[in-house]
């Protein structure tokens, strides 16, 4: 608080706003981190369900058209 008031010249209302915004920012970052972890888990889950079968590819030869 002292740094905000003396070095930055904020009044107490400004300090309160800065502290509230810092807290909001921390909560938002925590939510982003949680969502990123959830997304990564979902991506891993989707990858587990990919079919990994081999498919034989045969090129069909069509008679040439005249």
């Amino acid at each position: 608080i002292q740094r905000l008031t003396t070095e930055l010249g904020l009044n107490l209302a400004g300090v309160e706003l800065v502290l509230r915004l810092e807290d909001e920012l921390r909560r938002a970052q925590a939510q982003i981190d949680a969502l990123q972890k959830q997304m990564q888990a979902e991506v891993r889950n989707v990858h587990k369900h990919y079919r990994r079968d081999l498919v034989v590819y045969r090129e069909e030869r069509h008679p040439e058209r005249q």
Side-chain angles (χ1 to χ4, degrees), residues 8-61:
L8 300 177
L10 293 176
N11 61 19
L12 291 179
V15 170
E16 181 183 5
L17 179 61
V18 167
L19 294 176
R20 199 170 349 127
L21 289 173
E22 285 178 340
D23 184 52
E24 188 177 328
L25 183 60
R26 274 191 290 279
R27 283 183 281 138
Q29 187 61 52
Q31 185 178 14
I32 289 170
D33 294 342
L35 288 171
Q36 284 178 330
K37 286 179 184 177
Q38 181 182 355
M39 180 192 64
Q40 290 168 349
E42 291 293 333
V43 167
R44 282 192 301 273
N45 189 36
V46 167
H47 285 213
K48 285 180 186 177
H49 292 93
Y50 281 166
R51 289 188 54 143
R52 301 194 193 285
D53 300 336
L54 291 177
V55 177
V56 177
Y57 173 77
R58 293 185 185 148
E59 184 175 338
E60 294 183 28
R61 298 190 181 251

